[in-house]
Amino acid sequence: MSSSSPSRRRVSPRRRTATVALAGVAALIAAAVQSGAATAAPAKPLPGKADPAHSSVRLTPAQRSGLIRDAEAGRADTARSIGLGAQEKLVARDVVKDGDGTLHTRYERTYAGLHVLGGDLIVDTAPSGATRRVLKASGATLKVTGLTPAVPKATAERQAVARAKTLGGTKSAADSVRQVIWAATGRPVLAWETVVGGLQDDGTPNELHVVTDAATGQKLYEYQGVRTGVGNTQYSGQVPLTTTQSGATFNLTDGDRGGHKTYNLNRGTSGTGTLFSQGTDTWGNGTISDPATAGADAHYGAAVTWDFYKNTFGRSGIKNNGVGAYSRVHYGNSYVNAFWSDSCFCMTYGDGSGNADPLTALDVAGHEMSHGVTANTAGLNYSGESGGLNEATSDIFGTGVEFYANNTTDPGDYLIGEKIDINGDGTPLRYMDKPSKDGASKDSWYSGIGGVDVHYSSGPANHFFYLLSEGSGAKVIDGVSYDSPTADGLPVTGIGRDKALQIWYRALTTKWTSTTNYSGARTGTLAAAGELYGTTSAEYAAVQDAWAGVGVGTRPGGDTGTSYESTTPVTIPDNGPAVTSDITVSGRSGNAPSNLRVAVNITHTWRGDLVIDLVGPSGTSYRLKSFSSSDSGDDVDETYTVNAAAEPANGTWKLKVQDQAAQDKGTLNSWKVTFP
């Protein structure tokens, strides 16, 4: 699903509160160093080993529940201590505890009793009880002009239902409509959140969330609450299953893993169906002729996913509360998909084209159930850049599950959907080493990637994970050939999949919020690597290298190569004509490289207004950044990679910047081009 953003209305420029809004790497690492100093642990972790002081400890469900109760009991004091307004209240949702006693408590927020979408935040607390750091999904001051909607509830509902129908929805009324505060993109406003159910045009359940401005009736945001995916349809062979016996009957209930149950929908599309039960404890025959075969694969996938999270991260179930979800197989008729739904807390599998290939494979279970983990941790919005990170998280952990299982029938690899042959030519659905090989996914970040379907905008994060795990270049891993390029043309040395998983998981659970974008993902993973392995470690440097390898940020020590820079400030007029800044390059031979790096530093109070182009000596323009009404951040401090191989290297290069909306202005402070 691609994101859609309306024209925005603003009454004044916004400035984010620097101490609480999406803290940068330096602030995150400073807090990590402070927390380490409070313990008897070594100041620096041993090379290549995670620092136990900054690693999360394994909590029993009872311990976690107790910490959440403590956070709830003290939420009023916490709200005051972090400077929230009188009408703001906190609701504790999750707690992570580090080895040194630091608590990372994740909260939702309300304002005048209304839920705040984009109001989630993380409070890091020292063992003494002192607040060390606050990370907010939005740094905007939470205040609205009024709480009486000008747009009636019924109007918002009609608009949302109409939108759902354009996407294939079947219902004529919404499942729910509630008044909320929308704070995820810029200035908070009173809004309606409408949820429309039913079915989508391919038979997938519909759970479309539409957020409507209660003052203007404009759509502010939408996302699909049902996370869909495809997977390996080859069965996992003969595997052990944990079941429950009641008298002479066995059923697919896993008492060792939170009571996870597996049901047979028998072509239905609603309800739970019938719990798989029979007189023997041997399930399925390895073919579609026995409905229990799909049940056995799904039950096995759920068990391995549970064990992966428990033994890799110390997580007890999807919600980390010791409670199992449930699985449903044989959904619909010839349904070629599988999906996770937060509302039912369940995993559902179709039987594939012609009901011949149930999508009940291991990587499907790992991918889809990981959507549940994301929903119960960072809660990454399923749209825009955060949606791409959401999808990538499921690909990353689904890959982790596949490797963890060590199943000879379906060995681990960095290919997604390699057995389903959805393309009809034996190729995988997605490739982590070079995502663009699927024809749609993106290898590297660029300014417009938030408008791409989340299954394809996940590409840079998948690519980052592969580079961080295995490194760049051609290689063969467990019999599979890979060849991973980098955006900056420089090599990346991998640190191993196990460390890469730990870094990604810690960022997801303690550093990211619902609105985290690619830049925030880099900040969070660097902070996680710094806490686990130290900021001078090879692991920390590898995270920088791997992100630079997908066009996000630069490598340690900045750019390498020959740079040409302009430091003459240029004022950018508000909603005015484009301005340019020139750099003259001379003394080089031939054409510019295919990985020319363009670093831009702009001070601005709403960067979404800005359109930025590089103009080569030939006069050809290369778009670096597009206009985005939903990008409410301040400033631009980015390095872009441009394929400028058609340009002569020598000549005048121009940076063209235009502000295309009113009420904000800024300055182009500097920019440079770097020839690797």
Side-chain angles (χ1 to χ4, degrees):
M1 180 180 69
S2 57
S3 63
S4 177
S5 300
S7 302
R8 75 178 183 284
R9 291 165 52 90
R10 292 175 289 154
V11 296
S12 63
R14 301 129 318 275
R15 298 300 304 177
R16 293 199 264 179
T17 306
T19 56
V20 296
L22 291 179
V25 175
L28 290 173
I29 294 302
V33 171
Q34 291 165 9
S35 62
T39 73
K44 294 182 179 179
L46 296 174
K49 301 292 184 182
D51 188 344
H54 304 314
S55 300
S56 58
V57 299
R58 299 191 177 197
L59 300 173
T60 66
Q63 289 171 328
R64 175 178 173 274
S65 296
L67 290 173
I68 292 177
R69 283 196 301 270
D70 291 344
E72 277 288 287
R75 60 181 179 168
D77 291 339
T78 301
R80 284 191 295 270
S81 72
I82 65 175
L84 298 189
Q87 296 197 79
E88 298 177 61
K89 296 186 185 302
L90 296 173
V91 180
R93 193 178 78 180
D94 194 18
V95 177
V96 174
K97 184 176 182 179
D98 288 352
D100 68 350
T102 299
L103 295 178
H104 309 271
T105 307
R106 190 178 294 274
Y107 294 94
E108 298 288 353
R109 209 173 355 160
T110 63
Y111 178 87
L114 301 178
H115 186 78
V116 181
L117 300 177
D120 52 302
L121 53 88
I122 304 170
V123 178
D124 291 352
T125 310
S128 65
T131 299
R132 286 199 172 120
R133 181 178 70 244
V134 180
L135 295 172
K136 288 185 176 182
S138 172
T141 300
L142 191 51
K143 184 178 180 180
V144 296
T145 55
L147 295 172
T148 301
V151 174
K153 175 181 177 181
T155 300
E157 179 179 11
R158 283 196 302 271
Q159 292 177 179
V161 169
R163 174 58 178 160
K165 286 184 176 179
T166 66
L167 299 175
T170 58
K171 294 196 71 174
S172 58
D175 287 3
S176 64
V177 185
R178 65 171 178 169
Q179 206 169 325
V180 297
I181 304 297
W182 173 251
T185 51
R187 180 174 60 86
V189 296
L190 184 69
W192 294 105
E193 182 191 26
T194 307
V195 181
V196 185
L199 297 176
Q200 300 176 47
D201 53 7
D202 68 347
T204 303
N206 197 52
E207 196 177 293
L208 182 69
H209 294 243
V210 179
V211 181
T212 306
D213 191 318
T216 66
Q218 290 183 321
K219 185 183 71 175
L220 298 171
Y221 195 76
E222 72 175 41
Y223 72 93
Q224 181 57 253
V226 175
R227 278 69 163 169
T228 59
V230 295
N232 180 346
T233 58
Q234 180 179 337
Y235 304 119
S236 298
Q238 190 175 58
V239 294
L241 297 178
T242 303
T243 61
T244 297
Q245 184 176 7
S246 178
T249 302
F250 297 88
N251 62 74
L252 289 185
T253 301
D254 192 334
D256 292 343
R257 298 173 178 84
H260 184 104
K261 299 178 184 294
T262 302
Y263 295 89
N264 181 6
L265 278 172
N266 194 28
R267 307 282 184 259
T269 57
S270 62
T272 58
T274 304
L275 180 66
F276 275 99
S277 302
Q278 61 185 41
T280 67
D281 207 14
T282 299
W283 301 86
N285 60 8
T287 73
I288 60 172
S289 65
D290 187 342
T293 298
D297 275 335
H299 205 64
Y300 170 67
V304 173
T305 301
W306 177 289
D307 291 349
F308 164 75
Y309 276 103
K310 179 180 179 180
N311 296 324
T312 306
F313 308 119
R315 188 176 188 85
S316 182
I318 288 173
K319 288 187 175 181
N320 203 20
N321 62 355
V323 177
Y326 66 88
S327 297
R328 307 183 301 177
V329 300
H330 302 307
Y331 172 90
N333 186 28
S334 295
Y335 179 66
V336 190
N337 220 325
F339 58 88
W340 169 267
S341 174
D342 295 332
S343 60
C344 70
F345 196 60
C346 69
M347 177 65 216
T348 304
Y349 303 86
D351 281 335
S353 179
N355 297 316
D357 295 296
L359 280 81
T360 49
L362 198 54
D363 56 356
V364 176
H367 175 105
E368 299 299 343
M369 291 185 183
S370 291
H371 279 306
V373 173
T374 298
N376 287 280
T377 53
L380 292 162
N381 292 332
Y382 202 58
S383 183
E385 290 192 22
S386 59
L389 291 168
N390 189 317
E391 268 298 312
T393 296
S394 284
D395 278 350
I396 287 166
F397 289 142
T399 296
V401 167
E402 194 174 69
F403 274 103
Y404 174 84
N406 197 27
N407 186 298
T408 57
T409 303
D410 185 13
D413 51 48
Y414 293 96
L415 308 174
I416 310 299
E418 69 275 9
K419 303 291 185 178
I420 195 172
D421 195 22
I422 197 170
N423 299 318
D425 57 5
T427 58
L429 181 63
R430 289 193 289 276
Y431 304 77
M432 300 185 87
D433 65 320
K434 188 178 181 183
S436 62
K437 286 196 290 187
D438 66 17
S441 292
K442 309 303 177 184
D443 289 336
S444 303
W445 180 89
Y446 63 96
S447 60
I449 200 167
V452 176
D453 182 284
V454 296
H455 295 87
Y456 307 133
S457 64
S458 63
N462 280 340
H463 192 189
F464 161 82
F465 178 76
Y466 176 86
L467 288 171
L468 185 61
S469 299
E470 305 291 350
S472 58
K475 60 194 65 181
V476 177
I477 304 171
D478 295 336
V480 180
S481 296
Y482 303 97
D483 192 358
S484 192
T486 59
D488 59 4
L490 300 175
V492 173
T493 300
I495 60 174
R497 186 177 55 258
D498 291 344
K499 290 179 181 178
L501 285 168
Q502 292 295 336
I503 290 169
W504 193 269
Y505 181 79
R506 183 162 180 82
L508 178 76
T509 54
T510 68
K511 305 291 182 282
W512 296 347
T513 66
S514 61
T515 60
T516 294
N517 58 13
Y518 269 103
S519 176
R522 178 182 183 273
T523 298
T525 50
L526 280 171
E531 290 174 349
L532 292 173
Y533 303 105
T535 57
T536 60
S537 65
E539 290 80 5
Y540 187 88
V543 172
Q544 290 179 299
D545 287 350
W547 278 123
V550 299
V552 183
T554 58
R555 293 174 181 254
D559 286 329
T560 58
T562 304
S563 296
Y564 304 81
E565 184 171 13
S566 172
T567 58
T568 303
V570 178
T571 299
I572 304 169
D574 182 31
N575 197 21
V579 295
T580 60
S581 175
D582 297 354
I583 290 176
T584 299
V585 175
S586 62
R588 305 191 68 88
S589 60
N591 282 5
S594 61
N595 59 337
L596 183 72
R597 296 197 295 279
V598 184
V600 180
N601 183 276
I602 294 174
T603 301
H604 199 272
T605 51
W606 188 297
R607 64 175 176 238
D609 290 355
L610 299 177
V611 174
I612 306 174
D613 293 294
L614 175 71
V615 182
S618 72
T620 301
S621 291
Y622 302 85
R623 178 58 49 89
L624 304 182
K625 180 189 176 303
S626 299
F627 176 91
S628 173
S629 62
S630 63
D631 184 1
S632 60
D634 299 339
D635 308 332
V636 175
D637 189 8
E638 299 285 352
T639 298
Y640 305 91
T641 302
V642 177
N643 183 352
E647 295 288 329
N650 292 332
T652 300
W653 296 79
K654 297 177 182 289
L655 191 75
K656 184 170 70 174
V657 183
Q658 184 177 23
D659 182 323
Q660 294 189 346
Q663 302 182 26
D664 293 283
K665 59 184 179 180
T667 301
L668 169 60
N669 301 309
S670 65
W671 73 287
K672 66 179 177 180
V673 291
T674 300
F675 292 74

